[in-house]
Amino acid sequence: MADKPSVESKDTFKDALPASRPKPAGNPLFRMMGLPNFRLKLPSRNWLIFLSITGSFTAAIFYDRYHKKKAQQRWCNLVSHIAQEPMSSTQLPRRITIFLSAPPGDSLRAAREHFHEYAKPVLVAGALDWDVVEGRREGDVRAGLAEKIRKRRRKTGEKPMKTVEGGGSTEEEDLVKQLRDTAGIREWDGVQGDLILGRHTWKEYIRGLHEGWLGPLEPPLDPLQEPASATANTFVSTERSATDPASPISNPSLTPETSAPISDQEKSEVEPLKPEGESQNPENKKEKEKPKQPTQEAPYISPSAYPTAPLAPSVPESLPPSTVLPFPHLLGFLGTPIRIYRFLNRRYLADDTGRQVAALVLASRPQNWNAEAEFVSSADPDASPSRFSADQSSTDVVDLVPTQRRWELEGILEDEERDWHKSARQSHKDDGERVWKERIVVDSRIGERMRRFQLREDEEEKARKDDGVDPAAKGLSYSIKQMVGWEEDTSVKGWEHGLVGEVSE
């Protein structure tokens, strides 16, 4: 028998064998592509904090933007059928008037961007045309609307037609109207309407309505201007007559033809002194002469004169309805948290704005503004009980006397005034009329004629049921649901065009 190998010979044999290679770890695909071995592990604490904050904020932005587009599309779908309605080639489309004004402490660009972002999509979906009245300063909208109403009053024959500076060319408007009448083009005979953006523009709009229908057609004369200039001339001539014996006042025998001439020395004393650089360098005059900004037209009537002012005979029984859109605008570093909150919740603003603009486009239910009377007791509140008679019981009814009427339109968007810049509430020496600072004053003759747009209940319910998705943008899943029957296809087929509205005999 062969001897068994010893243990030492086995160990020697194992040592002679080559060592086995370790199994490569990681994804073989990454290894073949030359990429490093990625290990799945959680990021560090700082990275987790950074990614959670940025990810949450980004998700909130995309969520708000998605629902904002759905809300706008919902109201656009509600009014889109108006754009498909046929219209005669000899009739002008419906035209509304939009009033924009620069917010307090900011430029007009902010108001324009707000209008283009929230209101314009619904107006375009309804195929509406519009005119814009813009105001870069406080009072521009008031002056523009008042002048527009005065032009209308002059055309009705209240006074001869005159061209007013700053109010546009009347001859061009008459020429365009004459050409349209010759071609047989008719104006829109339905409801027009006004669109006002913001509380500050709403104040100017109401002030302009009152000034146009209650104020005069011609600007009132300033009683302090002519007497002031006359007083200054009298003061200069009197001072000269008291010191100069050659003046006609001190010497009546001298007439203007025979009075002593003024010497060069006296002329130099009378004429104002000019700066030395102005006479030597005439180019300085050109540099100092800058184009002046157009002055704003002063108001023709003050709110305190509304009760006694006569109403224009050409005022209609009902004024064009109006819609006031919210315009939240906050400035300042301390308002940053509020602005961030509003930035992440713009879907609510888009839904509210779209609903009001859709009511203006449909114009199905204009209604008047409400007015509430404020009452006061006719009894003296400071009277003591001993002043009343003994037989007067405590249960007697006290007469209530109405003091004034507070209109609903006075409180529209009143919360926006808290966000205004402080310059809108400060008083300056050179300020004339401060429309934004003063309270809204409504005359009952104008307030009863003002109206507003509102949606009907069935129209609003129809818009709420809409999914807010553009039919042209619906993808393959929506088409498959229509084929299966889960979604109702309400679109008009190609072979059905031209059959809508026909009556079958």
Side-chain angles (χ1 to χ4, degrees), residues 148-164:
K148 182 180 179 180
I149 297 175
R150 285 191 289 265
K151 281 184 180 182
R152 179 178 175 181
R153 291 172 57 185
R154 294 189 189 100
K155 288 182 179 180
T156 55
E158 288 194 32
K159 277 193 176 182
M161 192 68 182
K162 295 181 181 180
T163 303
V164 182

Side-chain angles (χ1 to χ4, degrees), residues 39-53:
R39 295 168 54 189
L40 296 178
K41 63 177 182 178
L42 289 175
S44 63
R45 169 181 170 273
N46 295 338
W47 274 107
L48 283 176
I49 295 174
F50 172 76
L51 293 176
S52 60
I53 294 176

Side-chain angles (χ1 to χ4, degrees), residues 15 18 20 23 26 40 53 87 107 122 130 150 154 180 205 226 251 256 267 313 372 426 436 449 474 484:
D15 294 339
S20 60
K23 294 183 179 180
L40 296 178
I53 294 176
M87 188 176 60
S107 62
V122 185
W130 60 79
R150 285 191 289 265
R154 294 189 189 100
R180 287 175 177 174
Y205 176 81
E226 295 182 358
N251 192 356
K267 288 182 179 180
E372 299 178 356
Q426 292 177 351
W436 297 344
R449 289 174 166 83
K474 294 179 179 179
V484 175

